[in-house]
Amino acid sequence: MSHIRKQVILWVSFIRKELQEVGLFVQQQENEAGRGRVLDLCGPSKTFSFPAERLYSEFTRVESHVSTKKDSDLTINTMHRFTWIMALCLTVVSLGAQDVESLLEGQAGTTRLGVPFALDGSFGVSFRSYQAWDIADRQTPLASSISANATIRSYQLTIPFSFIMHNLDEVDHPFTRAYWKDYLSNQRNRFTRFGASPYYKWITLHAGHRYMDFSEFTLANHNFLGAGLDLTPGKWRIAAMGGRLARAEPQSRSLRTPFIQQYTRTGWGAHVAYGDTKDRVGLSLFSAKEDPASLVGEVDSQFLVTPLENLVISLNGKKTIRKYLSIEFEIAQSALTRNAGDPDDDQGFFLYRSFLFQRKTSTDLRHAANVKLDYSRNDFRAGLEYRRIDAGYRSLGAYFFNDDLENYTAYTNFSLMKKTLHLQIQGGLQRNNLDGTKQASFERLIGSANAAYRLKNWVLGASLSNFSSRVDYQLSQELDSLNVVVVSREASLTGSRSFLGKSGNSATLTLVGGVQTVEDGIDNPDASAASNLYYANVNYSVSTPTHWRFGATTDVNHHRLSGLSLSRYGGGLQAGKEFLGGKVLTGIGSNIYLQTSTEGLRQTLWSHFLRGSWQVMQQHALHLQVNLLTNHKKLHGTTQQFSELMAVIGYNVQFGYHPFASPEISVTQ
């Protein structure tokens, strides 16, 4: 007896035994609609109707095939076909042995397993060429990008995948053997991201280049290369991650490919939370460190950096006090070591003297807190917020914090006049220099108001902000401090209207205008930071029934700062047309701007573009864009002129593969 025959016979015996153990039997019958046979699995309390005529016929045929054919006639294809059938049988058998309603969600007694396999996604490739005249190149001559994303679905398992690779190349075009030979080995000028996040019900895995969010002050959507896990059973959320946050980069002062000196940074984190959208509490822990050996021999003495180490702990939560009233908070402490090579410091909290983190003489402890009391009912919302971030607070799991600030604010937003008028108002007090180490500190009133009003075909908007700052300069220990009050204000108006003509033409008009002012009370204009900025913009676009699109725009702004006056004004025109029922899109346009100043500057900037796209097939698209920039500058009798040309060509493909229809299981009590 062949090996394949033995395996198939064992599978048949196993399936029949499993059916008997769960009290199920197999029978063949006509369904109610007369659409052929179904495979009925009948248990003690439930009847499962599985529309699988193919499954039943294949089961019978393969079983007969194995019993009657010679060993020489049994092929690997037979085993593959039978394995597919057995997988479906085992799925149905496992459902009969458990509570189906608790495993599968459905409506009106009908549940859905989902498809055995489905694949959807897209793929794209693009090339960008760059050429400059009479100026040093500000970009590499060639750049290429390859991107792909796909989602695989198998029953209730979903696996999303993404990939992108971006190369910066010094060659003029890709039509050389050397370019493609070194394409995969060129690591220095490459930006690559790939990753997948498969999930099944409340289980999510992360692998590759991913990002996760624990809280604002710990791990806040920072990209990493590694692995992560996110579990959300019931009201729980348990998450963990680990991987590389940044790779080592030497200092580069190149205009085209600048790099900030950076050690290799790795980190890990964990987050545990319990609750829902109304009430929850969570604890986050994040740790990261840099490898001192990753920049050996490459440290630039002029831009000296030291390896960092960081541990952040955060407690966050939300509590609904009344039906419409809730309080939300986060309190965090960050221990940041400025130089991991410094001597140990065994003082302080035991957690900073453990295997998680070793405190050093350069370790600083900083805190951050945010508390918000919010009332929300229908279209009305109001609240109070307190926010404080210590000077120097930093988490290596977040990109940026506006630190050394403490805010006390109140806010509200609501609608009036049958929801045609929407208002947003915010105001409060802000101060800096929280640790008293800076020579200059300020306290300022902050406030803003925004309004939007809909009047027939018009949408009108207005905004107003006022920031009044009191800045204290400590000149020296012997002299008194200097007090300066800086006031900044901004007001703007917007309006837009849509028009629909009798001939089928549609048009949109958009108006924007505003003013920004800064006052510091200093009389000397050369020493004053006072400034005034006035700006206005008008945009008009038209679409016709013949698939033409036209647009016109104009901009004007005038800026005065420290006795210097700078003006910039100009506009542009563009046109586009659809062909072949929208499969071909074309566009062309030009813009010109003139800039002048009181110091004799006269600069003219021309920009032109040509773009097009072609839907080659239903899921295939080709796109092309060419930009030409010309700059003519004249200052103090000196003239400078340069031009830059950039062209981009790309091809995108969308794909899908669905070999199976979605099977259904009807449950009859």
Side-chain angles (χ1 to χ4, degrees), residues 434-456:
L434 303 183
D435 56 3
T437 59
K438 293 182 178 180
Q439 292 185 346
S441 61
F442 68 76
E443 291 183 358
R444 66 178 183 175
L445 296 174
I446 56 177
S448 63
N450 297 277
Y453 181 62
R454 179 178 295 274
L455 178 63
K456 295 182 179 181

Side-chain angles (χ1 to χ4, degrees), residues 38-275:
V38 298
L39 180 65
D40 273 8
L41 300 180
C42 304
S45 60
K46 299 180 179 68
T47 299
F48 306 92
S49 295
F50 191 86
E53 178 182 358
R54 179 183 176 187
L55 174 61
Y56 186 86
S57 60
E58 288 287 334
F59 184 93
T60 305
R61 185 175 63 167
V62 174
E63 186 178 12
S64 175
H65 181 83
V66 174
S67 302
T68 59
K69 295 295 182 179
K70 298 179 181 180
D71 291 349
S72 59
D73 296 331
L74 298 176
T75 63
I76 295 298
N77 290 333
T78 303
M79 190 61 193
H80 288 171
R81 180 184 298 174
F82 196 74
T83 301
W84 179 79
I85 298 172
M86 291 302 101
L88 289 179
C89 288
L90 285 175
T91 301
V92 178
V93 169
S94 64
L95 293 176
Q98 302 178 43
D99 184 3
V100 179
E101 290 86 353
S102 64
L103 292 176
L104 305 173
E105 298 179 357
Q107 299 180 11
T110 300
T111 59
R112 181 174 293 275
L113 279 172
V115 294
F117 180 83
L119 173 65
D120 294 281
S122 63
F123 172 81
V125 58
S126 66
F127 290 92
R128 189 270 296 150
S129 178
Y130 172 83
Q131 179 69 46
W133 294 271
D134 301 323
I135 191 177
D137 288 351
R138 297 193 288 184
Q139 299 187 40
T140 57
L142 181 68
S144 59
S145 296
I146 299 176
S147 62
N149 66 82
T151 300
I152 299 173
R153 296 189 305 275
S154 179
Y155 297 111
Q156 295 187 16
L157 176 65
T158 303
I159 307 175
F161 172 82
S162 63
F163 169 82
I164 182 172
M165 182 170 66
H166 184 68
N167 270 21
L168 301 176
D169 303 293
E170 299 297 334
V171 298
D172 294 329
H173 59 80
F175 307 109
T176 61
R177 179 178 299 179
Y179 172 79
W180 294 105
K181 181 180 179 180
D182 299 333
Y183 189 81
L184 295 178
S185 60
N186 182 15
Q187 295 290 333
R188 171 55 59 192
N189 294 332
R190 174 181 300 164
F191 174 83
T192 304
R193 290 288 184 268
F194 62 90
S197 296
Y199 61 89
Y200 175 78
K201 294 185 178 180
W202 46 265
I203 303 174
T204 302
L205 298 176
H206 303 281
H209 288 92
R210 303 282 87 182
Y211 62 87
M212 298 178 67
D213 182 32
F214 291 171
S215 70
E216 178 187 2
F217 297 134
T218 55
L219 180 64
N221 293 318
H222 195 295
N223 191 280
F224 64 91
L225 174 60
L229 176 66
D230 214 330
L231 307 176
T232 57
K235 293 186 176 183
W236 286 94
R237 186 201 175 189
I238 304 172
M241 59 75 62
R244 189 187 71 189
L245 301 169
R247 68 178 184 180
E249 295 285 0
Q251 181 73 26
S252 173
R253 302 168 188 166
S254 170
L255 182 63
R256 295 184 299 182
T257 57
F259 289 108
I260 299 176
Q261 194 165 274
Q262 171 68 57
Y263 289 97
T264 296
R265 181 182 300 166
T266 58
W268 62 269
H271 175 76
V272 178
Y274 179 81

Side-chain angles (χ1 to χ4, degrees), residues 155-406:
Y155 297 111
Q156 295 187 16
L157 176 65
T158 303
I159 307 175
F161 172 82
S162 63
F163 169 82
I164 182 172
M165 182 170 66
H166 184 68
N167 270 21
L168 301 176
D169 303 293
E170 299 297 334
V171 298
D172 294 329
H173 59 80
F175 307 109
T176 61
R177 179 178 299 179
Y179 172 79
W180 294 105
K181 181 180 179 180
D182 299 333
Y183 189 81
L184 295 178
S185 60
N186 182 15
Q187 295 290 333
R188 171 55 59 192
N189 294 332
R190 174 181 300 164
F191 174 83
T192 304
R193 290 288 184 268
F194 62 90
S197 296
Y199 61 89
Y200 175 78
K201 294 185 178 180
W202 46 265
I203 303 174
T204 302
L205 298 176
H206 303 281
H209 288 92
R210 303 282 87 182
Y211 62 87
M212 298 178 67
D213 182 32
F214 291 171
S215 70
E216 178 187 2
F217 297 134
T218 55
L219 180 64
N221 293 318
H222 195 295
N223 191 280
F224 64 91
L225 174 60
L229 176 66
D230 214 330
L231 307 176
T232 57
K235 293 186 176 183
W236 286 94
R237 186 201 175 189
I238 304 172
M241 59 75 62
R244 189 187 71 189
L245 301 169
R247 68 178 184 180
E249 295 285 0
Q251 181 73 26
S252 173
R253 302 168 188 166
S254 170
L255 182 63
R256 295 184 299 182
T257 57
F259 289 108
I260 299 176
Q261 194 165 274
Q262 171 68 57
Y263 289 97
T264 296
R265 181 182 300 166
T266 58
W268 62 269
H271 175 76
V272 178
Y274 179 81
D276 51 28
T277 57
K278 293 183 178 180
D279 301 290
R280 69 175 185 273
V281 62
L283 180 66
S284 302
L285 181 66
F286 176 78
S287 176
K289 64 188 306 182
E290 296 180 343
D291 182 11
S294 58
L295 281 180
V296 173
E298 297 186 1
V299 176
D300 191 331
S301 59
Q302 294 186 3
F303 299 91
L304 182 62
V305 296
T306 54
L308 305 176
E309 188 171 354
N310 183 221
L311 178 66
V312 189
I313 306 172
S314 170
L315 178 66
N316 56 83
K318 180 180 180 181
K319 175 63 179 177
T320 301
I321 304 173
R322 295 290 180 88
K323 185 177 181 180
Y324 305 106
L325 183 64
S326 64
I327 184 171
E328 190 172 359
F329 71 92
E330 181 178 3
I331 303 173
Q333 184 180 63
S334 173
L336 179 67
T337 298
R338 302 292 179 179
N339 188 350
D342 287 343
D344 294 347
D345 184 357
D346 293 330
Q347 299 180 1
F349 187 45
F350 77 94
L351 191 62
Y352 302 131
R353 294 178 285 108
S354 64
F355 68 96
L356 296 177
F357 182 85
Q358 177 56 58
R359 183 169 181 169
K360 305 288 184 175
T361 55
S362 60
T363 300
D364 293 326
L365 299 181
R366 296 292 185 265
H367 300 83
N370 191 81
V371 182
K372 180 187 295 185
L373 182 66
D374 186 86
Y375 178 86
S376 179
R377 183 175 183 178
N378 299 329
D379 294 329
F380 178 81
R381 186 179 182 184
L384 302 173
E385 183 174 2
Y386 171 77
R387 182 178 181 86
R388 177 189 173 106
I389 301 180
D390 286 350
Y393 180 90
R394 188 176 178 186
S395 170
L396 299 184
Y399 289 106
F400 173 77
F401 288 108
N402 197 3
D403 63 333
D404 195 21
L405 287 176
E406 185 177 42

